[in-house]
Amino acid sequence: MPAPLDFIHALTWHDIPAPVRAQIELSLLDLIGVAAGGRQTRLAQLICDHATSEFGGDIPILFDGRPASASGAALAAGMTIDALDGHDGFNPAKGHIGCPLLPSALMLGHQANISGRDFLAAMVMGYEFGARAAIAQHATVPDYHTSGSWGAVTAAAAGARLLDLTPDQTRHALGIAEYHGPRSQMMRCIDHPTMVKDGSGWGAMAGVSAVKLAQSGFTGAPAITVEDTPDFWSDLGTRWYMLEQYYKPYPVCRWAQAPIESALAVQAAHGLNAADITLIEIETFHESVRLANPHPTSTEAAQYSTCFPVAIALQNGTVTARDIADEALNRPETARLASAIRMVESDHANAHFPTKRLARVTLETAQGRFSGDWSEPRWDHTSPATAAELRAKYHGLADPILGRDTADRIEESLSGLEEMPLRALSDQLLRPINP
């Protein structure tokens, strides 16, 4: 069997280095916090209604409690996380591993009543598998597809492990997921932001469905981006991509975050008042320039904008979920600042994408022009967020939605999950929000 298929079932909790074990807890906490924040969006409300009405079953929906099938519950959870663009990501993937992975592992693991340790090991395996699946796909297909495309194969890998599929069934699960996973066009959603987002929910649904089909005898092998790309898989178990994920301080596209950091740095260095700024020039890479929409009419468009969150940051010093909610999009001063932004594509920034996302901002006032240095987003793995910062982010998102007591219980359950059944955590996640 190819090395990645062996890795799916062979990796044990004891094989995983201690720093990787610690990091998976923080990544899960981050994803759960983002899901809590995303649950209040209209996108999440619609997809949860859809899952319970169209996917009959007995798995409760994340932060909802109504029943659906494992595939439907995974769809709803993936899109709920994706509804608030604040989850972790991986630069070489140009996307997000955890968003399609967690829903599949959570729903199938809950259904199978697995141990917390098995769940955690499956999640680590999924991050390692998903990182390489993404790199392999981006290197071998012509279009830039959303995370749901390779995320479907990643979800199937986690599900195959959790349901203890045979090696042959696992091959077919990956092949089914690759064939039916959403090869959705990322730049279409960048140019025309809507609720389809990064395809992660559909990827989770396709992955779970592929596992269930393969388990019943349905065939679909091979997954070409797994089996025909050996060069991308040779460092499995030696290089831990779990330690190379980034996290987001702001709930907007990663491509907008370097401009935010550069604008805030220039503003602070020169003591500039947002009301005095007349021009904002942002030099950055092509994909970020494509996010230029200064006047979003929905939270989805606000999250996939460079101009709008930069304008918010210059006013408020940060960008929060509340700042990019549907009801917060018509503030006159934010609109003025966003209209004052000029986007400039930079060859220097293009040359470093996707491993680095660079931006340099110049702010102009009546007193002159003030330029900054090239900036990168915060909380990249080269300058990572601390555990305290990620826990504070989790509570900032989860507490207003879940209530502090519930958020604390989830955090405590996750911290002790290695020695508990998964349901000690999942029973708290798969119930209605009741702060």
Side-chain angles (χ1 to χ4, degrees):
M1 298 291 285
L5 275 73
D6 286 339
F7 183 78
I8 290 170
H9 295 285
L11 181 70
T12 71
W13 185 243
H14 296 294
D15 295 330
I16 300 169
V20 178
R21 295 188 196 181
Q23 203 63 39
I24 191 60
E25 179 188 333
L26 292 172
S27 288
L28 284 166
L29 190 70
D30 190 69
L31 288 163
I32 292 166
V34 173
R39 185 60 186 87
Q40 299 304 295
T41 63
R42 179 163 168 73
L43 187 167
Q45 294 165 10
L46 290 171
I47 201 65
C48 289
D49 289 347
H50 175 75
T52 196
S53 66
E54 302 297 330
F55 292 82
D58 58 1
I59 305 296
I61 296 173
L62 178 67
F63 293 138
D64 182 286
R66 290 176 292 173
S69 66
S71 297
L75 167 67
M79 295 196 72
T80 295
I81 297 168
D82 215 9
L84 188 65
D85 201 351
H87 40 294
D88 63 353
F90 181 53
N91 281 337
K94 299 185 285 187
H96 312 274
I97 301 169
C99 191
L101 170 62
L102 173 58
S104 59
L106 181 65
M107 302 313 165
L108 290 174
H110 179 86
Q111 188 174 53
N113 200 21
I114 65 166
S115 71
R117 181 174 298 186
D118 287 345
F119 172 74
L120 293 169
M123 285 296 301
V124 172
M125 183 283 299
Y127 269 94
E128 299 303 319
F129 186 98
R132 292 161 178 84
I135 295 170
Q137 182 180 302
H138 284 307
T140 55
V141 302
D143 204 357
Y144 175 7
H145 299 109
T146 64
S147 301
S149 55
W150 48 263
V153 186
T154 302
R161 177 189 173 100
L162 291 169
L163 297 193
D164 199 24
L165 267 57
T166 67
D168 190 56
Q169 289 172 329
T170 299
R171 281 193 74 228
H172 287 299
L174 300 187
I176 297 164
E178 182 187 71
Y179 196 84
H180 289 301
R183 290 289 178 100
S184 36
Q185 306 90 355
M186 186 71 249
M187 297 313 294
R188 170 187 175 250
C189 190
I190 294 299
D191 292 336
H192 307 284
T194 61
M195 292 181 182
V196 296
K197 301 296 286 284
D198 197 30
S200 294
W202 242 254
M205 176 184 68
V208 170
S209 298
V211 170
K212 296 281 192 175
L213 285 167
Q215 189 179 44
S216 71
F218 201 95
T219 60
I224 295 171
T225 53
V226 177
E227 298 195 27
D228 290 359
T229 57
D231 291 347
F232 297 102
W233 303 88
S234 60
D235 58 358
L236 274 168
T238 58
R239 180 175 183 174
W240 295 92
Y241 282 124
M242 182 75 253
L243 300 177
E244 298 184 32
Q245 307 301 303
Y246 66 72
Y247 301 88
K248 291 183 179 181
Y250 317 112
V252 297
C253 183
R254 188 66 168 178
W255 302 347
Q257 304 219 3
I260 290 172
E261 300 300 349
S262 184
L264 289 174
V266 175
Q267 184 182 40
H270 299 281
L272 303 178
N273 190 313
D276 297 328
I277 296 170
T278 56
L279 178 67
I280 304 161
E281 182 177 277
I282 301 174
E283 299 172 77
T284 190
F285 53 96
H286 171 80
E287 287 79 2
S288 182
V289 172
R290 292 269 287 272
L291 286 173
N293 178 15
H295 302 301
T297 58
S298 68
T299 184
E300 289 78 32
Q303 293 174 46
Y304 280 180
S305 168
T306 300
C307 300
F308 192 77
V310 168
I312 291 170
L314 287 169
Q315 288 180 274
N316 300 341
T318 190
V319 183
T320 70
R322 188 172 299 170
D323 293 325
I324 47 85
D326 286 328
E327 59 271 18
L329 304 182
N330 297 311
R331 295 171 179 167
E333 179 61 7
T334 306
R336 183 192 72 80
L337 285 168
S339 296
I341 292 176
R342 183 164 71 94
M343 303 292 297
V344 179
E345 186 170 336
S346 161
D347 290 340
H348 173 71
N350 282 340
H352 287 84
F353 183 79
T355 55
K356 292 186 176 183
R357 286 89 189 276
L358 298 175
R360 180 169 61 185
V361 170
T362 297
L363 302 179
E364 186 172 308
T365 71
Q367 284 68 47
R369 288 171 58 86
F370 306 92
S371 297
D373 297 325
W374 287 104
S375 295
E376 294 185 62
R378 280 195 292 140
W379 297 357
D380 195 63
H381 77 280
T382 56
S383 182
T386 66
E389 286 174 323
L390 289 176
R391 291 185 187 279
K393 175 190 169 184
Y394 162 74
H395 282 287
L397 289 168
D399 290 3
I401 308 301
L402 307 178
R404 180 68 191 223
D405 288 347
T406 298
D408 282 345
R409 286 195 297 271
I410 289 171
E411 185 177 21
E412 291 164 7
S413 296
L414 186 53
S415 294
L417 194 59
E418 181 182 347
E419 305 300 333
M420 297 188 292
L422 172 60
R423 289 202 171 191
L425 174 66
S426 62
D427 280 345
Q428 298 185 70
L429 301 180
L430 306 182
R431 63 175 56 164
I433 292 173
N434 185 24

